[in-house]
Amino acid sequence: MKLRVIIVDDERMARTRLRRMLEKDPEVEIVAECEDGQAAVDAVRAHTPDLILLDIQMPGVDGFAVLEALGPERTPEVVFVTAYDEHAIRAFEEHALEYLMKPVAPERFAKMLARVRERRIHAPRGHDSLFDLMAQRKADGRGTRLVVRSGERTTFVAPEEIDWIEAAGNYAILHLGKRTHILRETMNALESQLPGDMFCRVSRSAILNLRRVKELQSLPAGEHVAMLEDGQRVSISRSLREVEERLKYV
């Protein structure tokens, strides 16, 4: 039987590269291509593939959120496709999980397919290692680095570097001291990815690193602001008492 594959990546060029390599193998059938996480969840449920080539960093629903939505029973064989990130790669290797680094080399791709076929014959898929990794991520506060792409440059931002995050339409602005990065991501998605013991959504348009807060101020017009250690001011519309409670434990 042919190996039924779904490609998931928000970058069109990356999907094209993977598709072309898969099309060279007559024993592979591409059943869907998806450019976002929600489409990937729907496609897996609709097509029940044998293998999913899954990008990690995607706007909205990222690769790990796709797997959480599917659960162990609906998750096929998974090969992660990622830009170079030593922390993610170390985690994959520690849990014996298959991964490909971008740009994907044809030789590495061929070896991956051979291993997937071998496991398919001799070791029907089990997801203990995969879901152990996801449980570990949750226990660690989901502290994986954010990937910011700008032209030919890719920057990795650790959560603890961020002072606060500002909404800007379909984008988010990461404030890191005097530096800023623009990320194509929604505030809801970022809120779910960041460590909950460190970050707090203080308004529709702001997520705050609580460890950067020096003081809270109440203004005459009934408004409230957080003063950060470097003098930045962030407006708060969430309950001030709730934010104060959160600040006690950081």
Side-chain angles (χ1 to χ4, degrees):
M1 294 178 63
K2 288 189 174 183
L3 187 71
R4 293 163 49 80
V5 182
I6 289 178
I7 301 169
V8 183
D9 199 302
D10 64 316
E11 297 178 340
R12 184 165 58 94
M13 289 182 63
R15 294 197 306 274
T16 299
R17 185 178 181 85
L18 292 171
R19 180 179 2 102
R20 287 175 177 169
M21 286 189 282
L22 288 169
E23 287 173 342
K24 294 178 180 179
D25 191 324
E27 297 303 315
V28 167
E29 178 185 1
I30 302 171
V31 296
E33 285 187 34
C34 307
E35 63 180 14
D36 62 69
Q38 186 55 59
V41 173
D42 296 340
V44 171
R45 289 171 175 168
H47 298 287
T48 58
D50 303 302
L51 170 66
I52 179 171
L53 302 179
L54 183 61
D55 189 19
I56 299 297
Q57 292 287 345
M58 295 183 291
V61 182
D62 70 4
F64 285 109
V66 168
L67 301 179
E68 288 179 356
L70 292 171
E73 298 302 319
R74 301 292 294 270
T75 297
E77 181 90 30
V78 176
V79 173
F80 294 105
V81 183
T82 182
Y84 181 73
D85 182 329
E86 62 176 323
H87 297 289
I89 290 169
R90 189 180 305 122
F92 297 154
E93 291 176 343
E94 287 175 354
H95 290 80
L97 298 173
E98 195 76 52
Y99 68 91
L100 296 168
M101 287 193 301
K102 297 179 181 179
V104 178
E107 298 82 6
R108 176 83 169 86
F109 189 84
K111 290 179 180 179
M112 175 275 296
L113 275 183
R115 285 194 292 268
V116 168
R117 286 195 171 100
E118 184 74 12
R119 284 197 297 272
R120 197 178 176 206
I121 296 171
H122 299 291
R125 67 175 178 257
H127 293 309
D128 289 348
S129 294
L130 174 58
F131 282 86
D132 283 349
L133 171 60
M134 293 169 64
Q136 180 181 315
R137 289 179 74 249
K138 286 186 177 180
D140 292 342
R142 299 188 180 189
T144 54
R145 294 187 293 174
L146 302 178
V147 179
V148 181
R149 297 184 179 91
S150 178
E152 298 298 317
R153 176 175 295 181
T154 300
T155 304
F156 298 93
V157 178
E160 57 269 21
E161 296 180 76
I162 301 170
D163 297 328
W164 69 290
I165 303 173
E166 179 182 8
N170 293 325
Y171 293 80
I173 303 173
L174 309 182
H175 293 265
L176 297 77
K178 295 181 179 180
R179 296 179 293 133
T180 59
H181 292 293
I182 297 177
L183 183 64
R184 184 161 65 91
E185 189 66 280
T186 66
M187 297 293 276
N188 287 340
L190 282 172
E191 186 178 11
S192 70
Q193 295 173 43
L194 294 167
D197 61 342
M198 187 187 307
F199 288 87
C200 178
R201 182 83 173 265
V202 295
S203 70
R204 289 175 58 89
S205 58
I207 298 174
L208 187 61
N209 184 344
L210 297 173
R211 297 176 185 175
R212 295 288 196 273
V213 177
K214 182 178 180 181
E215 63 183 47
L216 300 178
Q217 294 183 356
S218 297
L219 304 181
E223 299 175 348
H224 307 289
V225 297
M227 294 291 297
L228 307 191
E229 293 173 347
D230 64 356
Q232 295 183 80
R233 296 159 58 95
V234 180
S235 296
I236 298 174
S237 61
R238 188 168 179 169
S239 164
L240 190 63
R241 180 169 302 218
E242 187 176 350
V243 177
E244 289 175 344
E245 285 298 314
R246 292 287 306 278
L247 284 165
K248 290 180 181 179
Y249 303 100
V250 297

